[in-house]
Every structure is written in C-alpha cells, then in structure tokens.
Amino acid sequence: MEAKNSLFMLLLLVIICNGNAQLYLSGGPKSNYTFPKDFLFGVSTAAAQIEGAWNEDGKSESIWDHLVHNNPNFVKDHSNADVAADSYHLYKRDVEMIRELGVDIYRFSVSWPRVLPTGFANEVNPLGIQYYRNLIDELVKYNITPMVTIYHWDLPQKLQDIGGWTNAHIVDYYTDYANVLFKNFADKVKYWITFNEPMQTCLEGYGGTYRAPALNRHGIAEYLCTHNLLKAHANVYHLFDKQYRPLYGGKIGMSLDSNWAEPKTNSTKDIEAARLYLTTHLGWYAHPVYSTEGNYPPELIKLVGQKSQKQNYSRSRLPEFTPSEVDFIRGTADFFGLNHYTTYLLSMADKEVGAIPSHANDVGIIRVQDPNWPSKSSSDWLKVVPFGFRRLLQYITKTYNNIPIIVTENGYADFSGVDDKARVSYYGHYLNALLHAIHVDKSNVHGYFAWSLMDNFEWDDGYVSRFGLYLVDFKSPNKTRTAKHSAKLYSSVVATRGLPADYDPADFTAFSSAPILVSTMLPLLALYRLL
Ligand code: NOJ
C-alpha cells in the first residue's frame, strides 16, 4: 500500500512539473490584451521561393538557380525552384489569398536577375518591371500595403562570377539596382527592406556552404561580404532618403535574423556566452546601423583582431570602417526588421571551436538546443520556445534605443497537410508572447508578418519543409492553393486583434507525437495498476 501511495504522489508530481515546465516555455499566461488598432499584420514571401519562371521573359540565372542546377544533391528532395509555386503566373490568386486572410500588408521580394538580367542597370527588363507593377497594382487595388524586400538572396549569377558580395564595386551595382526599383515603384510602395537576413548571405553563403553561393571561404569572405553589404545598405538608405522620400514619403529598414540566446546554465561564463552571441551575431549587423556609436561591436573588433594576429595575418580579417563610413552607416533605418523563429542555449568554449579561421572560431562559443523543448518540425532547428521571442524583443528595444520593430518573419515548418495543429499552436504561443512583449515589457513592436503566405521552395530543404498558411499542391498543374487551419487562426487574430478563446499557454501537446506527459506517465500508470 505504501508503494502504491508513493507512486500516486510521483504521478501527481509528474503532472504538476509538466504543467510548470510548459508554462515556463510559454511567453506568459494567457493574455487578454489586444493588438493596437494601427498594428500591422502581414504575410511574407520571397521571389526565389515562389515565383518560378526562372528563365522566362528575359530573367537570367540567380545564384540559387545556379547552385541547385549544378548540384542537385544540395537540396534534400533534389528539387529546384524552376517552377516553385508559379507565382509569376498566379500572382492574382496570391493576392486573393492575402485578401482572404484580411491582413494589412504583403511583404514580397524583387528578383534582381528578373529586373536586371545582366546584373547591371544598363539593361532594364521591361517584362520584369511589368510583373512587379502588376502585383503592386493588384495589392493597392484591394487596399493591401506592399512592402518590398530589395534583396532576398537571389543575386544574378553574372555578378557572382565577378566576386558577388566580396567585390567592393557591388555597393554601386546594388545602388543602381535599388534606384531602378525606387524609380518605378516608390510612388506606390511605402515600405522598403534593403536586405533580408544578411547574416545568412554572408556567414552561411560566403563563409559556409549552407546558402548560395556556398563559397566556404570562412574567416575571410563572411567579413568582406558583410562589409560591402553594410555599405550598400547605407548607400541605398541615403539615396532613398534624399531623392525619393521627399517625393513620395515611405520608410526603409533592414531585416535581421536572430535567435534568442539563453545561457546554458546560471554560471557567469554561460551568461557571458549568451550575451556574446547576441553581440557578435545580431550585433555584427545591428550595431553599425542601430547603435548610438555605430561601427562593428567593439568585442567583435577585438576578438577577430586578436585571432588574426595570432594566426600571422598582416591585419585583422575584419575590415575596418573609416570614421566617415561609421557615420554614413549609423542611423540608416527607420525600423528594425526582425526575423525570428527559435532559441538556443549558449556556453563558452574552453577549446578552439569551428573551422580555423572562421567567425565561429573567432567568437568561441557553443550553441545547442534543449532536447526537451517541444518540436516535431521538419526543420530540425525549429524548437518552440515562445519566451525567447519575448526576451529578444525586449533586448532589441533596450539595446537599440527603442527603435520601432517590425517582425518581418515568424513561423513554423511541418511536412505538409491542411490540418496543421502544430502551426496553429506555434502561432498561438508566439502571438501570446508578442502581446506580453508589447503590453507588459513595453517592447516597441509595430507589426508582425507570418512566414509564409504559402508553401514554397525552402532552400536546401526543397519542398520537404512547409511553412505556408496555404498549402500548395506542387504536383498539380495549377499549383492549387488551399487554406490550412493556421490560415483560419491567423485571419481570426487579424480580425479580432486578439487570441482565440480556446488558446492555452500550457498546451504544447501539438508538438509531440507521444506527448512528454503521456510517455512519462504510461509506464508509471502500468506499475500503479500492478501494485
Ligand atoms: C528565413 C528566410 O528569410 C526565408 O527565406 C526562409 O524560408 C525562412 N526563414 C524559413 O527558413
């Protein structure tokens, strides 16, 4: 009997602990707050992931076309984006979906090789311009605000052939390209994003092999790429600010990707590692633009400088900005675009980490995820940790002088299906965390975009990982689009400006095929019955 009683107590403890653990993950108790009236709700996509028509009507090859055509093994399902969701032909249906959702704003990107097939502004492709004009007109017709990402990873391969983002002249080429977009569209487009996730372009594309052009020149190329890209960003900001804003108004910023960094333990070293992660990853791009002082974060300058010296380089592998460049880049954004999906645990490395030389090695920290964090996502990195979202928003608000934040991407990937319970749950939790961030923490968030409007070409995951609110049947000739349950949830949030009545902040069961609670309890229950 005594054993039975003890087991009963144990069962009770498991139930209580599980509830608490799940509440700890959530961004806070269920919030009765609502989103402000003028809060912007939107959906995001990118040209290379949805348009298809990769060589139609004068478009030239992008670095992603080039990479996947030449290395089909790069993509999990050996697919490519030649047709993708065929939005080049189906944009009217896309706008119809946006209307069904009831959102205020649509974030899409322009394909540089579609508009400027040579990479340069010497030849502007009229059919490319016409496509985006049609899309913008269709949006405006239905009162949907267009937000344009100028660069979302699809550089013309012709520019990559001459060094891409490591070639210092790209600052001019990119400015010419942006100028063509402003000239043609700034009368109707009031939100501009210069770059989407520049860290993915430079760190993973030039330093590593995870993104195109998969150059793998770590320790050198990620720093050159970033240097040119930040100058290009500032140049385009000033161009817009001087020549186009006075004529048409509008806002311009950049979209940075950041995980939240939680110390792995409470040790001073791990707390320092988490801080260093944010400073040297997010801060690598954010500090030059959004901080009061400008320039790269002092710690990054110090760490790369010391390592470079030790490695016998004549100068730091991190290029230097001149004081006038620091001034030119600082303050060049009207808002902070944030793409956020997940959280990591950080600790200090006690030996060399990463390839030598590399940004990872220069910084010297270790990043892992808690295996108990819920997720059954098709993207193995996508653990569901809503509290991290809330903390990150507070961190950005505090660190970068209360800059207005627009969450330009947030979402969840699964293996497909209309009954997408996990995505519904993810959005519930992250939007709850966002409400707490706005109302309790006073984080300065002005907008939120779900990634993504529809299933699309998820880079190296091909069509295996689905992020859409709309399911796309890639096998059907018309790439049929069907609203998932998450589309219904999102449209109700947009309409009511609040969370659905049945949202439960402690409920993470949608993320485990054998929920933690059940899997721990079943053996205990069996034992209980035997006693
Ligand atoms: C970041 C990128 O901007 C987008 O292109 C990608 O599909 C999503 N995150 C999901 O990985």
Side-chain angles (χ1 to χ4, degrees):
M1 195 59 199
E2 226 172 69
K4 207 164 177 175
N5 281 345
S6 320
L7 203 56
F8 180 73
M9 293 308 287
L10 190 61
L11 275 165
L12 212 64
L13 201 70
V14 169
I15 294 171
I16 294 168
C17 289
N18 187 69
N20 284 344
Q22 307 303 49
L23 261 179
Y24 144 80
L25 272 174
S26 86
K30 182 173 179 206
S31 149
N32 290 320
Y33 298 114
T34 51
F35 290 97
K37 267 221 176 83
D38 55 352
F39 189 82
L40 286 175
F41 274 113
V43 280
S44 283
T45 61
Q49 296 177 268
I50 62 163
E51 280 178 10
W54 79 277
N55 61 355
E56 229 177 291
D57 288 348
K59 178 182 170 293
S60 70
E61 196 183 40
S62 76
I63 52 175
W64 273 94
D65 296 328
H66 188 83
L67 179 68
V68 304
H69 287 161
N70 291 293
N71 304 284
N73 289 340
F74 183 87
V75 184
K76 248 189 211 160
D77 56 2
H78 308 291
S79 63
N80 56 46
D82 290 2
V83 182
D86 201 18
S87 288
Y88 187 67
H89 300 107
L90 300 172
Y91 72 92
K92 285 200 176 166
R93 169 69 182 126
D94 294 350
V95 176
E96 188 178 51
M97 283 140 52
I98 299 164
R99 287 163 53 207
E100 285 165 9
L101 289 170
V103 294
D104 317 291
I105 182 162
Y106 178 46
R107 171 180 177 243
F108 61 94
S109 76
V110 171
S111 156
W112 187 340
R114 191 179 295 291
V115 169
L116 305 181
T118 65
F120 301 98
N122 65 321
E123 271 176 36
V124 180
N125 176 13
L127 295 175
I129 296 288
Q130 194 56 50
Y131 169 67
Y132 294 108
R133 186 164 289 144
N134 292 345
L135 171 59
I136 291 165
D137 286 347
E138 186 75 2
L139 290 165
V140 172
K141 180 161 131 195
Y142 293 107
N143 247 335
I144 299 153
T145 306
M147 175 189 255
V148 170
T149 309
I150 299 172
Y151 185 76
H152 196 128
W153 305 0
D154 47 354
L155 189 74
Q157 178 60 32
K158 290 190 169 116
L159 294 183
Q160 187 55 46
D161 295 342
I162 52 169
W165 291 103
T166 61
N167 177 345
H169 294 285
I170 195 141
V171 177
D172 293 333
Y173 310 154
Y174 174 78
T175 309
D176 292 346
Y177 160 55
N179 195 27
V180 169
L181 302 193
F182 294 151
K183 250 193 212 150
N184 281 283
F185 310 127
D187 57 339
K188 295 189 178 149
V189 172
K190 301 299 166 210
Y191 285 92
W192 295 91
I193 289 172
T194 54
F195 288 96
N196 175 70
E197 301 198 356
M199 188 162 58
Q200 295 297 314
T201 294
C202 296
L203 185 63
E204 308 292 358
Y206 285 76
T209 54
Y210 180 43
R211 308 287 190 201
L215 215 59
N216 209 19
R217 295 303 307 272
H218 39 80
I220 308 285
E222 64 268 51
Y223 295 125
L224 293 181
C225 167
T226 300
H227 206 66
N228 294 327
L229 187 148
L230 285 168
K231 286 189 191 175
H233 159 82
N235 227 21
V236 163
Y237 172 88
H238 289 295
L239 169 73
F240 179 77
D241 199 42
K242 284 205 188 78
Q243 287 187 30
Y244 293 94
R245 204 199 302 266
L247 292 176
Y248 307 114
K251 292 191 160 84
I252 184 162
M254 177 155 55
S255 285
L256 303 181
D257 53 313
S258 189
N259 305 304
W260 172 244
E262 194 63 19
K264 192 166 178 209
T265 68
N266 282 335
S267 73
T268 334
K269 263 187 146 185
D270 289 1
I271 294 173
E272 171 56 13
R275 199 194 56 77
L276 194 59
Y277 176 83
L278 292 166
T279 316
T280 54
H281 285 74
L282 177 62
W284 187 8
Y285 299 88
H287 200 271
V289 175
Y290 295 101
S291 73
T292 318
E293 317 83 65
N295 205 355
Y296 292 120
E299 266 141 317
L300 189 65
I301 297 177
K302 190 169 133 204
L303 286 168
V304 187
Q306 283 171 348
K307 275 272 161 103
S308 305
Q309 201 178 23
K310 225 167 107 191
Q311 292 159 351
N312 213 19
Y313 287 91
S314 328
R315 61 190 68 81
S316 176
R317 287 177 281 100
L318 180 72
E320 258 178 53
F321 287 124
T322 63
S324 71
E325 285 170 344
V326 168
D327 279 353
F328 188 71
I329 296 169
R330 188 182 50 206
T332 50
D334 303 317
F335 59 88
F336 193 117
L338 172 70
N339 292 359
H340 173 79
Y341 290 86
T342 196
T343 288
Y344 280 84
L345 297 172
L346 274 297
S347 55
M348 229 33 145
D350 48 18
K351 51 180 192 296
E352 299 275 355
V353 283
I356 302 176
S358 67
H359 178 267
N361 182 262
D362 291 334
V363 175
I365 46 185
I366 298 169
R367 193 181 86 155
V368 293
Q369 286 182 306
D370 184 336
N372 292 321
W373 283 341
S375 181
K376 56 171 183 179
S377 174
S378 49
S379 297
D380 49 11
W381 50 268
L382 216 168
K383 301 276 186 201
V384 185
V385 194
F387 78 79
F389 184 33
R390 182 171 168 185
R391 291 186 189 172
L392 179 62
L393 291 167
Q394 191 172 30
Y395 172 86
I396 294 170
T397 301
K398 285 199 173 144
T399 311
Y400 302 112
N401 307 317
N402 207 34
I403 179 96
I405 301 169
I406 299 181
V407 178
T408 41
E409 283 184 28
N410 177 239
Y412 181 83
D414 62 14
F415 292 98
S416 191
V418 168
D419 183 10
D420 55 344
K421 291 192 181 62
R423 185 173 296 100
V424 168
S425 182
Y426 180 95
Y427 278 121
H429 288 306
Y430 276 71
L431 288 165
N432 184 47
L434 179 55
L435 280 170
H436 284 278
I438 295 171
H439 293 280
V440 183
D441 310 335
K442 307 292 173 209
S443 294
N444 195 13
V445 190
H446 291 232
Y448 174 93
F449 289 67
W451 180 273
S452 175
L453 170 61
M454 66 192 125
D455 293 339
N456 56 54
F457 179 71
E458 176 55 21
W459 312 111
D460 62 313
D461 267 1
Y463 301 101
V464 173
S465 264
R466 308 291 191 96
F467 274 93
L469 294 172
Y470 277 73
L471 182 133
V472 176
D473 180 357
F474 291 103
K475 293 207 177 85
S476 71
N478 301 331
K479 309 291 169 216
T480 313
R481 287 118 155 93
T482 313
K484 300 182 188 177
H485 291 182
S486 56
K488 300 197 172 114
L489 166 98
Y490 195 49
S491 61
S492 98
V493 172
V494 174
T496 61
R497 305 266 137 182
L499 294 171
D502 60 354
Y503 165 71
D504 175 2
D507 185 0
F508 284 77
T509 46
F511 302 105
S512 62
S513 7
I516 308 168
L517 184 61
V518 174
S519 55
T520 344
M521 279 182 59
L522 279 183
L524 291 177
L525 266 174
L527 198 61
Y528 184 76
R529 291 179 65 182
L530 279 179
L531 288 171

